Amino acid sequence: MVSTRAERAASTRRKLLDAAVQLFLDKPYDKVSVHDLADAAGVAYGLIAHHFGNKRGIHREAMRQIARRLAQGPPPPGPPGTRIRHLVRDHLTSTRHNPAAYLGLMLSTDPDSHAIVDASKRLAIQAISEILDLDPERPAVRLALRTWLAAFGEAVIVWLQDGCPYSTDDLIEVLTATLAELLRQAARLDPALDPAPALAALDRPD
């Protein structure tokens, strides 16, 4: 069957994007040329400009593709502590299945990657705040949650780099306990903040 022009264009775009994902996971942005991308995809390098505008454009889309591999949906209904643990478990499972994608995104120094990671952190803060009935606009709460997400990210990086030496269940409990402690410390900074309901929820896994 003869493919249509649109089908050929879509196929070329997919080849370029697949090649970009692999190359940008292996090398920093400035070590990958448009010729490298075109050669890896088996297409003319001018097609990068046609489909993505320039190297920055294909890099940005490749980073989004990597982030989509790691993206998780909302946790199912249930007690707050269970929902938080579900979020953590889904993230650990996804990163364990896609370690190169996670490490490539988290360890990249490129601004496109930073923007995607920051956007995911904002979504995570909103989700955690809703589950635990916290106000994300409250400075002490925001400080606690952003600190937790930073620690979470570093913990997962080390966990993956060390070959996942601890079970997912054990790491979930360490991370959940860390969140609880940060909320306790947030209440020291903001005495009007009552973390008791959130702490009680986190203490109850079921």
Side-chain angles (χ1 to χ4, degrees), residues 7-205:
E7 288 171 338
R8 290 195 298 273
S11 175
T12 298
R13 192 179 191 279
R14 283 195 299 272
K15 288 178 182 177
L16 281 166
L17 188 54
D18 288 345
V21 167
Q22 291 306 312
L23 284 173
F24 287 127
L25 284 176
D26 291 337
K27 299 178 182 179
Y29 176 83
D30 59 359
K31 299 297 184 183
V32 178
S33 71
V34 291
H35 291 282
D36 293 332
L37 292 163
D39 288 346
V43 303
Y45 80 90
L47 289 171
I48 293 173
H50 175 74
H51 288 285
F52 299 98
N54 51 32
K55 189 176 84 164
R56 176 62 64 186
I58 193 172
H59 177 266
R60 188 177 299 116
E61 189 55 38
M63 292 300 101
R64 290 182 183 133
Q65 183 72 16
I66 290 168
R68 280 193 284 271
R69 291 184 185 179
L70 301 166
Q72 302 297 325
T82 301
R83 299 186 77 202
I84 292 294
R85 285 171 172 82
H86 183 93
L87 279 176
V88 176
R89 182 180 299 280
D90 271 4
H91 188 77
L92 294 177
T93 300
S94 177
T95 57
R96 194 168 192 171
H97 288 162
N98 300 277
Y102 183 79
L103 293 173
L105 189 62
M106 295 296 290
L107 298 177
S108 174
T109 59
D110 188 85
D112 290 337
S113 302
H114 284 192
I116 290 170
V117 171
D118 282 344
S120 69
K121 286 180 179 178
R122 289 194 294 272
L123 290 174
I125 286 172
Q126 190 62 40
I128 295 165
S129 298
E130 290 177 1
I131 292 171
L132 295 178
D133 195 23
L134 298 168
D135 180 4
E137 298 304 315
R138 201 168 190 138
V141 170
R142 191 165 62 252
L143 184 149
L145 295 185
R146 286 195 66 89
T147 300
W148 183 65
L149 290 172
F152 188 160
E154 288 298 313
V156 177
I157 287 170
V158 174
W159 184 62
L160 292 173
Q161 290 177 330
D162 288 349
C164 305
Y166 316 114
S167 73
T168 299
D169 287 341
D170 285 344
L171 193 53
I172 287 170
E173 294 311 312
V174 168
L175 291 168
T176 304
T178 302
L179 175 56
E181 183 56 34
L182 283 166
L183 290 175
R184 288 188 185 95
Q185 297 307 315
R188 293 184 62 184
L189 296 172
D190 180 359
L193 173 65
D194 179 14
L199 295 176
L202 291 171
D203 284 342
R204 291 196 299 268

